[in-house]
Amino acid sequence: MSTVRTRVEDMPPGQARTDAEEGISWAAATVERLDPLNTPPRLPDIPKPQADDDLKPFLGHWSPYGPTY
């Protein structure tokens, strides 16, 4: 990015230089926003298992609510 900025600084004043500076600013802001290292890592929120939706399909004839006598 520094090479591009150096190149733009060498441009004569005018609309082309202004447009190039705006493009560089936009690109730098976009990179800053998308960089995953700008925020601390965190684990995803894992929902608590629900008896009917999450457990029942895997228990076969057993009850997800406990033993039935």
Side-chain angles (χ1 to χ4, degrees):
M1 188 66 89
S2 63
T3 304
V4 174
R5 288 185 181 168
T6 302
R7 172 88 170 135
V8 170
E9 288 172 358
D10 293 340
M11 294 173 69
Q15 187 63 39
R17 180 177 176 164
T18 303
D19 291 345
E21 290 170 342
E22 288 175 5
I24 290 171
S25 295
W26 172 84
T30 302
V31 167
E32 184 74 20
R33 180 177 51 88
L34 295 176
D35 187 357
L37 299 178
N38 286 335
T39 57
R42 70 180 200 89
L43 294 173
D45 297 328
I46 300 173
K48 192 171 183 180
Q50 300 296 314
D52 285 334
D53 298 333
D54 298 324
L55 300 175
K56 194 172 184 177
F58 302 102
L59 295 176
H61 64 280
W62 293 5
S63 172
Y65 301 104
T68 57
Y69 300 101

